[in-house]
């Protein structure tokens, strides 16, 4: 066991890290120390982390090594160093939410963090995000903009910018963040990672600072699709403390699709949805490769225009602005002019405007249910454009394609296609494991992201 082994494993997929820990190729303490050294050396430039708990992480890592030495690991994740976004509570650390001023120190862990610790995971600290988790580029006027370690000079994506940067830079084996309208999948695409927004309510959101409770989901960012399932299965489950937690009468839909007989909805007419030519080309090449790899793919061309995604996303933004005001009012005094302007718009609306917006989201849920009577899985780009240049103006439509799943509470998986472009798989509620299985097949067929090969 050498320091170079642990340093190399910082960049390996989680499945490789799990194998190394199980076989004694490295220790959790060595791997955690390597991650902490990297954070210490790079965070001034990347600004991926807001709080690092070096002492707590090393203590947890040593405890994990002691358990493994006794043959008594807590679970599959015992000793794995993870990052947690700074809108999820971690006991003893502030929950900053990307806002200015003193942040409250959490008295207990968020539900998802509790589940991870129960499986032995080592929590390294908290990662940066857009102000109030409201943004798509990883910008923060109070704590600095997050840099993209995979594509330097490009935006990192948001709002889970620090989580994505931490994984892409090898600071953690995986990261936990939140996704309201695309905040996991946009940075996953921009940083060349895999990212999952689970079925709404599948992972309890207790201890997550709300952006819009109707849409908020805890999600996963990882280097490879295969890394996501172990984290999802640890965190998923009913939480009676979360009024929106999903109580399943049956387990997740099993990963038992017949790939050659799948009814795949392939979105066409992307130009009309504002998707750039380079993204369309990458998407169409990926679909062509997927068809060859999956055999007799039953593709169904779909027009998303009748779903009115952009209009429904704007309705959700109004509700999101109101939620932020209600949940974080006392902490918004020093917020940026940009955020203050958005919140002022919400303050000027009437109660009936919010009711109309809420009803629009209901209508979208019904339309998506009808869509999934025709198809098993939907393929479309993750984001309409490649990552903009760092510091460029924020495009208004970056979340339109990712919002499709969010607005309906559906699971959605983003796979890297290279150059900061993502392929998105969307399924019906409860089809998370099926999406991950199909995602692994497609990742092997497309082979554009790099991480799947353990790089």
């Amino acid at each position: 066991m050498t320091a170079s082994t642990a340093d190399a494993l910082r960049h390996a997929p989680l499945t490789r890290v799990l194998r190394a820990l199980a076989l004694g190729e490295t220790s959790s303490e060595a791997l955690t120390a390597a991650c902490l050294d990297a954070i210490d050396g790079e965070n001034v430039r990347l600004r991926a982390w807001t709080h690092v708990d070096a002492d707590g992480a090393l203590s947890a890592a040593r405890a994990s090594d002691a358990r493994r030495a006794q043959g008594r690991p807590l679970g599959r994740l015992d000793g794995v160093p993870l990052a947690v976004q700074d809108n999820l509570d971690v006991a003893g650390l502030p929950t900053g939410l990307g806002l200015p001023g003193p942040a409250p120190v959490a008295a207990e862990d968020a539900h998802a963090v509790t589940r991870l610790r129960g499986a032995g995971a080592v929590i390294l600290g908290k990662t940066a995000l857009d102000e109030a988790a409201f943004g798509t580029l990883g910008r923060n006027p109070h704590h600095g903009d997050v840099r993209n370690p995979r594509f330097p000079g490009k935006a990192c994506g948001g709002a889970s910018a620090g989580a994505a940067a931490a994984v892409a830079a090898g600071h953690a084996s995986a990261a936990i963040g939140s996704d309201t309208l695309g905040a996991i999948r946009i940075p996953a695409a921009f940083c060349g990672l895999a990212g999952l927004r689970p079925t709404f309510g599948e992972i309890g959101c207790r201890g997550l600072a709300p952006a819009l409770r109707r849409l908020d989901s805890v999600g996963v960012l990882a280097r490879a699709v295969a890394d996501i399932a172990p984290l999802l299965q640890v965190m998923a489950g009913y939480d009676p403390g979360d009024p929106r937690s999903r109580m399943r009468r049956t387990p997740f839909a099993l990963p038992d699709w017949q790939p050659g007989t799948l009814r795949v909805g392939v979105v066409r007419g992307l130009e009309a949805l504002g998707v750039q030519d380079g993204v369309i080309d990458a998407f169409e090449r990926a679909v062509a490769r997927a068809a060859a790899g999956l055999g007799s793919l039953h593709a169904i061309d779909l027009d998303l225009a009748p779903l009115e995604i952009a209009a429904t996303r704007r309705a959700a933004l109004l509700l999101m602005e109101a939620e932020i005001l209600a949940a974080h009012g006392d902490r918004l005094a020093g917020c940026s002019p940009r955020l203050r302007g958005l919140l002022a718009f919400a303050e000027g609306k009437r109660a009936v405007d919010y009711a109309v917006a809420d009803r629009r989201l209901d209508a979208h849920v019904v339309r998506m249910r009808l869509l999934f009577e025709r198809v098993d899985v939907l393929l479309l780009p993750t984001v309409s454009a490649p990552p903009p240049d760092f510091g460029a103006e924020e495009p208004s439509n970056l979340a339109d394609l990712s919002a499709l799943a969010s607005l309906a509470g559906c699971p959605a998986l983003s796979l890297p296609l290279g150059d900061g472009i993502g392929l998105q798989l969307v399924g019906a509620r409860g089809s998370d494991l099926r999406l991950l299985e199909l995602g692994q097949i497609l990742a092997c067929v497309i082979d554009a992201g790099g991480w799947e090969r353990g790089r």
Side-chain angles (χ1 to χ4, degrees):
M1 184 196 311
T2 65
S4 62
T5 299
D7 198 59
L9 285 169
R10 289 196 298 110
H11 301 280
L14 173 64
T15 50
R16 175 70 183 94
V17 172
L18 293 173
R19 179 175 179 272
L21 288 170
L23 295 179
E25 295 175 5
T26 190
S27 66
S28 177
E29 182 177 4
L31 180 57
T32 299
C35 290
L36 292 170
D37 286 346
I39 295 169
D40 186 56
E42 298 174 351
N43 197 50
V44 170
R45 176 177 60 87
L46 292 180
R47 298 187 182 275
W49 298 81
T50 56
H51 308 285
V52 178
D53 184 14
D55 291 342
L58 287 171
S59 177
R62 294 184 190 109
S64 172
D65 290 336
R67 290 191 294 269
R68 286 192 180 274
Q70 297 168 3
R72 298 170 58 189
L74 284 178
R76 290 187 68 191
L77 302 179
D78 209 342
V80 174
L82 299 178
V84 176
Q85 186 163 291
D86 199 12
N87 60 344
L88 283 154
D89 286 344
V90 172
L93 296 182
T95 302
L97 191 56
L99 293 172
V105 175
E108 59 184 26
D109 289 332
H111 175 74
V113 176
T114 298
R115 299 290 289 254
L116 292 170
R117 286 199 203 270
V122 172
I123 306 302
L124 295 167
K126 311 288 288 294
T127 56
L129 66 164
D130 293 74
E131 185 182 27
F134 205 149
T136 57
L137 294 182
R139 289 185 178 160
N140 193 294
H142 314 293
H143 308 292
D145 299 346
V146 180
R147 293 276 182 175
N148 188 331
R150 190 74 187 277
F151 301 107
K154 298 296 183 179
C156 198
S160 300
V167 176
H171 293 177
S173 295
I176 311 305
S178 65
D179 189 308
T180 303
L181 288 170
I184 286 283
R185 290 159 287 154
I186 295 171
F190 285 3
C191 292
L193 303 171
L196 176 73
R197 173 201 166 89
T199 295
F200 177 73
E202 196 57 58
I203 299 175
C205 286
R206 180 163 47 92
L208 170 67
L212 178 54
R213 290 169 298 158
R214 172 173 178 148
L215 303 181
D216 291 340
S217 288
V218 174
V220 179
L221 284 153
R223 294 186 191 99
V225 183
D227 296 346
I228 294 176
L231 295 160
L232 174 65
Q233 291 172 319
V234 165
M235 291 188 291
Y238 176 63
D239 176 17
D242 177 1
R244 290 168 176 78
S245 180
R246 181 172 178 242
M247 181 181 284
R248 297 191 304 269
R249 293 186 178 179
T250 58
F252 279 143
L254 296 175
D256 56 1
W257 276 334
Q258 297 287 334
T261 61
L262 277 177
R263 299 172 300 164
V264 178
V266 180
V267 176
R268 304 297 186 189
L270 293 170
E271 300 93 338
L273 297 174
V275 182
Q276 293 187 10
D277 290 344
V279 174
I280 295 174
D281 291 344
F283 172 70
E284 290 180 345
R285 288 196 303 270
V287 170
R289 290 181 185 175
L294 295 176
S296 56
L297 193 71
H298 294 276
I300 302 171
D301 289 353
L302 291 175
D303 177 12
L304 293 186
L307 291 177
E308 299 180 319
I309 300 168
T312 307
R313 177 184 61 82
R314 288 193 292 270
L317 286 174
L318 174 59
L319 296 172
M320 189 174 173
E321 291 154 7
E323 180 95 48
I324 290 171
L325 276 169
H328 313 299
D330 291 344
R331 298 185 59 192
L332 298 170
C335 70
S336 69
R338 168 189 173 271
L339 182 57
R340 173 50 57 192
L342 294 170
L343 300 180
F345 176 78
E347 287 176 316
K349 292 296 182 179
R350 303 169 299 159
V352 67
D353 296 319
Y354 298 105
V356 169
D358 196 56
R359 289 170 66 85
R360 178 177 277 276
L361 267 63
D362 284 344
H364 181 79
V365 171
V366 173
R367 292 191 193 105
M368 288 293 286
R369 286 176 180 171
L370 294 174
L371 172 62
F372 283 111
E373 290 180 0
R374 298 171 51 201
V375 303
D376 297 309
V377 64
L378 186 63
L379 297 183
L380 69 163
T382 304
V383 193
S384 58
D389 291 339
F390 185 83
E393 184 176 349
E394 183 173 24
S396 62
N397 67 336
L398 280 186
D400 278 2
L401 299 183
S402 58
L404 171 77
S406 300
L407 296 165
C410 294
L413 173 67
S414 180
L415 306 178
L417 293 181
D419 299 324
I421 297 171
L423 171 66
Q424 188 176 192
L425 288 69
V426 179
R429 292 193 186 201
S431 65
D432 307 55
L433 295 182
R434 287 174 163 174
L435 282 187
L436 291 174
E437 179 192 47
L438 183 60
Q440 289 187 59
I441 295 171
L442 293 183
C444 293
V445 171
I446 295 167
D447 193 29
W451 298 113
E452 298 291 340
R453 297 187 297 275
R455 189 173 79 183

